Amino acid sequence: YHSSQFAAFRRAVGVDDAAFMASVVEGATSEFVSNSLGSARTNQQFFWVADGRYMVKSLSPYEVEQLEKILPAYVAHFEANPDSLLTRFCGLYSVDTYEREGEQLPLDAAAARLLGKDKTRTYFVIMSNVLFSPLPLHERYDLKGSILGRVTKEPSDFRKSELVMKDLDLLSSGAKLCMPPRAYKETEGRLERDVAFLRSIGVMDYSLLVGIHFRGQGIPGFNRLINLIARHKNRA
């Protein structure tokens, strides 16, 4: 859907079409299980592509309609602000499946008409993984700048590194998000421009996703390197 507009968007943010398609179609996808109650209520499905660079998310027809409505302004915003922190929707697609004795299977549309199969259309969007990193992430936060209900109830089958925590979790940890002055001003400017854009299209639900890597944890050979340096200093 809207291939020319999404192609313009990918150009604006520096996504190569060939590399994008290779990430999406090569290898198996893996399901992402969210600990968000909102996702559970809407019965949304999420999948990572094989290399982890993109996420596939199912959309309701209403969500498709809303995305199509804002798409021209959304593309224009990224063309003017390629460093925007907003979610990067790289393509909108659908897949048709047909019922056969309780199963769902893809069929050619003409064959389906001849066989009288009932069609189900599923829409999905492919978006960049905003937390994609060569480094392992030890904590993830979804921050809204609010404290009302902004705490994560930890499911027993989630590791802490897999949980998406919220504002009160960050506050209770006592941690601070510290940035150099220049990086702080640049991030503040991006957020202000993004919020102004969302206000202009009448969207108010906005979160800042933050991934935290603790240096020295989970990097092969890092601790061994530190120990070698320490022993060398001690001998010196």
Side-chain angles (χ1 to χ4, degrees), residues 8-9 12-13 72-89 194 197:
F9 169 82
V13 298
Y74 174 81
V75 173
H77 177 72
F78 272 90
E79 287 176 332
N81 304 279
D83 61 349
S84 167
L85 295 175
L86 292 177
T87 300
R88 300 185 172 198
F89 297 117
D194 287 343
F197 165 69

Side-chain angles (χ1 to χ4, degrees), residues 36-57:
S36 165
L37 292 177
S39 297
R41 281 195 298 266
T42 57
N43 198 31
Q44 291 172 323
Q45 293 180 299
F46 301 84
F47 297 90
W48 296 119
V49 302
D51 65 8
R53 293 179 183 274
Y54 300 97
M55 173 177 275
V56 181
K57 176 188 176 185

Side-chain angles (χ1 to χ4, degrees), residues 180-194:
R182 181 176 176 180
Y184 174 85
K185 292 300 293 182
E186 289 176 350
T187 303
E188 183 181 45
R190 293 180 190 180
L191 290 172
E192 287 176 347
R193 291 189 293 274
D194 287 343

Side-chain angles (χ1 to χ4, degrees), residues 82-101:
D83 61 349
S84 167
L85 295 175
L86 292 177
T87 300
R88 300 185 172 198
F89 297 117
C90 295
L92 175 64
Y93 308 89
S94 70
V95 61
D96 292 339
T97 54
Y98 301 86
E99 294 292 335
R100 182 185 66 182
E101 298 179 359

Side-chain angles (χ1 to χ4, degrees), residues 26-164:
E26 292 180 2
T29 60
S30 58
E31 187 169 9
F32 169 77
V33 180
S34 173
N35 61 289
S36 165
L37 292 177
S39 297
R41 281 195 298 266
T42 57
N43 198 31
Q44 291 172 323
Q45 293 180 299
F46 301 84
F47 297 90
W48 296 119
V49 302
D51 65 8
R53 293 179 183 274
Y54 300 97
M55 173 177 275
V56 181
K57 176 188 176 185
S58 64
L59 297 180
S60 68
Y62 173 77
E63 289 172 319
V64 171
E65 179 184 339
Q66 296 306 305
L67 178 56
E68 290 177 325
K69 186 182 297 184
I70 69 167
L71 188 57
Y74 174 81
V75 173
H77 177 72
F78 272 90
E79 287 176 332
N81 304 279
D83 61 349
S84 167
L85 295 175
L86 292 177
T87 300
R88 300 185 172 198
F89 297 117
C90 295
L92 175 64
Y93 308 89
S94 70
V95 61
D96 292 339
T97 54
Y98 301 86
E99 294 292 335
R100 182 185 66 182
E101 298 179 359
E103 304 182 62
Q104 282 194 333
L105 69 161
L107 276 179
D108 175 80
R113 282 195 296 271
L114 289 172
L115 296 172
K117 303 296 183 183
D118 292 328
K119 180 175 73 175
T120 300
R121 174 162 291 176
T122 301
Y123 296 97
F124 59 94
V125 67
I126 298 177
M127 52 192 182
S128 295
N129 175 8
V130 296
L131 296 182
F132 178 77
S133 169
L135 299 176
L137 297 181
H138 300 106
E139 292 183 359
R140 294 170 171 82
Y141 290 90
D142 178 315
L143 305 176
K144 287 185 180 291
S146 169
I147 59 173
L148 183 62
R150 299 297 295 164
V151 64
T152 298
K153 294 181 180 178
E154 183 173 342
S156 59
D157 56 344
F158 271 74
R159 294 194 301 270
K160 186 174 182 181
S161 61
E162 296 173 335
L163 282 173
V164 179

